[in-house]
Amino acid sequence: MNQHLLQNLKLLLVYCFSFAGISSLQAQEQSFIYQGIEIEFEAEHLSKNKKANHFEEGDAVTLKFSIKDTLSKQGLSGVFPAAWMSQDYLIENRSCKRKIETFLSSSILDQPELDLNVYYVLTMNEDASINVVDPLFGYGGSKLLNRIVLNSPGMDWALTDNQNYLFVSMPKAKQVAVIKTTTWEVVKNLDIPGIPVHTEFQADEAYLWVTYVSEEEENEEKTGVVAINVQNQNIEKVIPTGNGWHEITISDDNQFVYITNAKSNNVSAIDIHSLAVKNQIAVADNPTTITWSNLAQAAYVGHKSLGEITVIDGEKQAISTTINVGKGLEQVTFAPGHRYGFVVNPAKDEVSIFDASSNRIVQVADVDSQPDQVNFSDGIAYIRHRNSENILMIALPTIGQMGAPVQVVDFPGGQNPAGKTNYPSVASGIVQAVGESAVLVANPWDQTVYFYMEGSAAPMGSFSNYSREPRAVMVVDRSLQEKEKGVYQTSVQLPKPGVYDVAFFMNTPRIVHCFQLKIAPNPALQRKEAFEQMGTLKIDFLPQEEQATNLNSTVKFQVKDRKTGELLGGLEDVKVMVMTPSATWHSRDWAKDLNHSGT
């Protein structure tokens, strides 16, 4: 380190003997009864290693409201409560009712520390990053909360049902990143034996399945699927399947994973319980896509070069029939309900619809400009194009009549085609927004995400992706969700220390109440902040040679370069402050460097 810079460093060391921290907190569980309805509030740590009922700044916790009838003791479902967290002293003169009215008005000037009714938008960018954005559509803007840095650009991603962990495949790095969404940090990078592509959870989320391919053309040992244990976030097993590109689908009963092997011309049926290939089902040439129908209990395998779909019976593990849809198909997927399948064919500018109950094509929509992806809201199919900025919409209640024309409407999804990009991703580019009849559309060339409300002629809002190309989009819901009957919860990272009001609101019947949550300082975060303020220096306190008394005592410590670990001798401007825990007495003294040693 430059000696001239060292002489100008102003370093303040605070050395305190603390025997009285924040007193032990009472159980963070409270209840309130109004008009025969009981609301119970509880905070729980996500980590099992944390002390119960003691919460500190930065802790990842679940905030839970249990709502039940006091007579029947039954949970109340579908009541859609809202909640906010705000420090008690900030609005100390306002009643709880007034405080909630302020939050409901969405005033920019009076925001809570935590809004438990929001969702965040994630974009998978063309570079090695993921943007985390608070869309703020109601204010006509957005707020970049975080930019997660990956080891290489992502290809696909999968979010756990509790929305606390996100897994991202990274082909160039040959890894899968594990991201903790309460802190937006990459907590682990898992090495994959090949190039990871698709990520998909089985229904019970015991395993995340990741397909991988090899740079070596004919090496079956380096191409297949990896099972990742979701609980411990480690690789459970690597399962080679066959040659070529792989697509994946999983039965809804957690029994089988089906993997296409494009060059081997077969489909591997993997038994989930034994984590081994049970059957290799021979199919026609070059299987390129696959999906599962819960209704039909069958896997549907698409063949781009042949223009047909092979139907594999899930119980018999054998081909039951084929469906001819025309050469050039690229995507086969099912609408909600799993009865009607959609086949996207950019070569023919068509979207075909088939009925899984009969395995017959019932309708064909003629669309222009190379459709490349279809995604669904609860009631609409959204079709993206490579050569048109228009997003096509097909109302799901109108489909299914044999031979009937498909009713199609559209809206502009930006200035450029939403499906046009130099960095394609297999993840969805259109997703449903939370709690609304609306979708978010990622447009890479516009570097923008558009918000479209169903029934509108054009997007109702948009936000810039901060000079990045959004190749895929995802929603992380931080609003209260009903996980079991009458139990509504969400996960958050606790804000700065203090006493907080947890303001609760329910519309029908109208109930308002403020619970309380105490958050203690986090010593680890305080140390980290102190070290960051010290810049490149690191302070190591040395064991005391004698017990400190009210007489003169010696405190020894070493000053080091944080990067190299080198002791920094010759500092002449190091000052030490000693204080009592109550801060009623303190003393400042200059430290002496022993023999210019850095001690």
Side-chain angles (χ1 to χ4, degrees):
M1 178 178 291
N2 186 287
Q3 187 67 25
H4 177 73
L5 293 176
L6 287 176
Q7 298 300 324
N8 290 283
L9 285 172
K10 299 297 181 183
L11 176 65
L12 175 64
L13 300 177
V14 178
Y15 184 66
C16 61
F17 301 95
S18 178
F19 301 99
I22 290 184
S23 60
S24 59
L25 301 176
Q26 296 179 347
Q28 306 282 278
E29 180 178 338
Q30 304 155 64
S31 62
F32 173 73
I33 297 176
Y34 180 77
Q35 293 186 352
I37 295 176
E38 181 179 6
I39 298 100
E40 182 180 278
F41 168 69
E42 184 178 4
E44 296 178 340
H45 285 291
L46 289 178
S47 172
K48 297 179 181 179
N49 300 323
K50 293 287 187 176
K51 181 180 178 182
N53 302 321
H54 178 84
F55 300 93
E56 297 178 350
E57 177 186 6
D59 284 352
V61 302
T62 295
L63 303 181
K64 182 185 301 184
F65 297 91
S66 300
I67 306 173
K68 60 186 176 183
D69 182 272
T70 55
L71 294 178
S72 66
K73 303 300 182 182
Q74 296 294 311
L76 300 182
S77 184
V79 296
F80 305 110
W84 303 261
M85 277 183 62
S86 67
Q87 279 202 302
D88 183 58
Y89 68 83
L90 290 180
I91 319 180
E92 58 184 350
N93 295 322
R94 304 184 194 177
S95 68
C96 183
K97 180 180 178 181
R98 174 57 181 152
K99 181 180 291 190
I100 290 174
E101 288 175 351
T102 300
F103 296 151
L104 287 171
S105 69
S106 301
S107 170
I108 299 178
L109 301 178
D110 208 351
Q111 293 289 298
E113 271 76 17
L114 287 178
D115 187 340
L116 307 182
N117 318 288
V118 298
Y119 66 87
Y120 301 123
V121 178
L122 275 60
T123 60
M124 182 188 293
N125 302 324
E126 84 285 3
D127 60 1
S129 71
I130 294 173
N131 282 355
V132 182
V133 178
D134 181 350
L136 299 174
F137 287 119
Y139 307 131
S142 66
K143 179 181 178 182
L144 181 64
L145 300 178
N146 207 313
R147 177 167 289 144
I148 304 168
V149 178
L150 305 174
N151 287 344
S152 74
M155 174 58 74
D156 198 9
W157 49 14
L159 183 68
T160 55
D161 184 63
N162 62 17
Q163 309 211 15
N164 291 331
Y165 287 94
L166 175 67
F167 294 78
V168 185
S169 64
M170 302 178 292
K172 288 185 178 180
K174 295 184 179 180
Q175 292 177 324
V176 170
V178 184
I179 298 169
K180 189 175 183 180
T181 61
T182 53
T183 59
W184 306 117
E185 293 177 316
V186 177
V187 296
K188 189 177 290 188
N189 287 299
L190 302 175
D191 292 325
I192 305 299
I195 300 171
V197 183
H198 292 281
T199 60
E200 187 167 339
F201 287 110
Q202 61 190 62
D204 62 5
E205 290 193 354
Y207 296 114
L208 172 76
W209 296 84
V210 182
T211 65
Y212 68 96
V213 295
S214 173
E215 294 174 331
E216 303 174 30
E217 289 291 326
E218 304 296 335
N219 192 335
E220 291 190 9
E221 296 301 317
K222 293 186 178 181
T223 176
V225 67
V226 172
I228 296 175
N229 187 308
V230 176
Q231 185 172 5
N232 62 31
Q233 299 164 2
N234 290 322
I235 292 177
E236 191 78 15
K237 192 170 183 181
V238 176
I239 307 173
T241 58
N243 281 329
W245 184 262
H246 305 296
E247 298 285 330
I248 183 172
T249 195
I250 305 175
S251 64
D252 60 310
D253 57 3
N254 302 300
Q255 296 296 317
F256 286 94
V257 176
Y258 296 90
I259 304 291
T260 63
N261 306 302
K263 291 188 177 180
S264 298
N265 297 327
N266 60 23
V267 173
S268 299
I270 299 171
D271 178 59
I272 291 177
H273 298 289
S274 64
L275 295 180
V277 176
K278 181 176 181 180
N279 291 308
Q280 293 284 28
I281 305 168
V283 295
D285 289 348
N286 194 25
T288 50
T289 183
I290 190 170
T291 192
W292 177 264
S293 169
N294 297 349
L295 183 66
Q297 288 295 291
Y300 288 75
V301 183
H303 304 267
K304 181 177 181 178
S305 59
L306 297 178
E308 66 182 30
I309 296 173
T310 300
V311 184
I312 298 176
D313 185 291
E315 182 178 358
K316 297 178 181 179
Q317 299 279 295
I319 296 173
S320 61
T321 189
T322 59
I323 307 171
N324 186 16
V325 293
K327 294 181 179 180
L329 69 92
E330 289 193 5
Q331 183 191 21
V332 180
T333 188
F334 278 94
H338 289 260
R339 176 175 179 179
Y340 293 107
F342 281 64
V343 184
V344 178
N345 192 323
K348 298 183 68 176
D349 287 339
E350 287 182 351
V351 173
S352 301
I353 302 172
F354 66 90
D355 189 340
S357 65
S358 63
N359 288 324
R360 297 176 60 190
I361 297 292
V362 292
Q363 290 173 285
V364 177
D366 291 324
V367 295
D368 296 326
S369 306
Q370 291 189 294
D372 80 318
Q373 193 180 85
V374 60
N375 295 283
F376 302 96
S377 66
D378 293 335
I380 293 179
Y382 291 86
I383 302 167
R384 188 183 72 176
H385 297 80
R386 292 174 184 155
N387 290 327
S388 172
E389 72 279 7
N390 290 328
I391 306 295
L392 300 187
M393 296 178 289
I394 300 174
L396 297 179
T398 67
I399 65 173
Q401 185 177 351
M402 178 67 73
V406 180
Q407 302 177 31
V408 178
V409 294
D410 63 28
F411 70 90
Q415 303 298 315
N416 293 284
K420 194 170 186 178
T421 177
N422 294 325
Y423 311 97
S425 165
V426 298
S428 297
I430 302 175
V431 297
Q432 185 167 5
V434 174
E436 300 180 272
S437 297
V439 292
L440 298 165
V441 180
N443 192 306
W445 279 27
D446 285 8
Q447 297 186 350
T448 300
V449 174
Y450 294 93
F451 175 82
Y452 173 78
M453 184 74 71
E454 293 179 0
S456 305
M460 300 291 289
S462 65
F463 66 84
S464 169
N465 197 42
Y466 300 90
S467 302
R468 301 296 198 279
E469 294 185 18
R471 300 155 54 228
V473 64
M474 174 182 284
V475 170
V476 173
D477 189 1
R478 281 287 173 256
S479 63
L480 294 171
Q481 301 177 60
E482 188 173 9
K483 293 300 184 180
E484 55 185 279
K485 187 176 181 180
V487 179
Y488 303 82
Q489 65 184 57
T490 187
S491 298
V492 299
Q493 183 181 20
L494 294 180
K496 60 187 179 182
V499 179
Y500 285 80
D501 280 337
V502 182
F504 174 89
F505 171 77
M506 195 167 79
N507 192 41
T508 308
R510 184 171 291 266
I511 298 176
V512 297
H513 184 73
C514 286
F515 300 98
Q516 193 177 82
L517 182 65
K518 298 178 181 179
I519 303 175
N522 186 325
L525 290 180
Q526 290 181 325
R527 287 194 296 269
K528 180 180 178 182
E529 181 179 353
F531 284 143
E532 288 175 351
Q533 292 175 352
M534 293 175 189
T536 60
L537 300 184
K538 182 176 185 291
I539 309 302
D540 287 337
F541 284 98
L542 302 179
Q544 288 181 256
E545 297 176 356
E546 57 184 14
Q547 185 176 358
T549 67
N550 59 347
L551 301 177
N552 291 334
S553 300
T554 300
V555 175
K556 290 185 179 181
F557 54 89
Q558 292 180 330
V559 182
K560 299 178 180 179
D561 185 298
R562 183 182 296 274
K563 293 183 179 180
T564 66
E566 177 186 359
L567 286 169
L568 301 176
L571 300 180
E572 299 178 355
D573 52 357
V574 178
K575 182 175 282 191
V576 177
M577 183 175 76
V578 181
M579 61 186 294
T580 60
S582 62
T584 56
W585 173 88
H586 71 271
S587 175
R588 288 186 174 91
D589 295 285
W590 292 103
K592 297 179 180 180
D593 187 6
L594 300 180
N595 302 320
H596 296 273
S597 64
T599 299

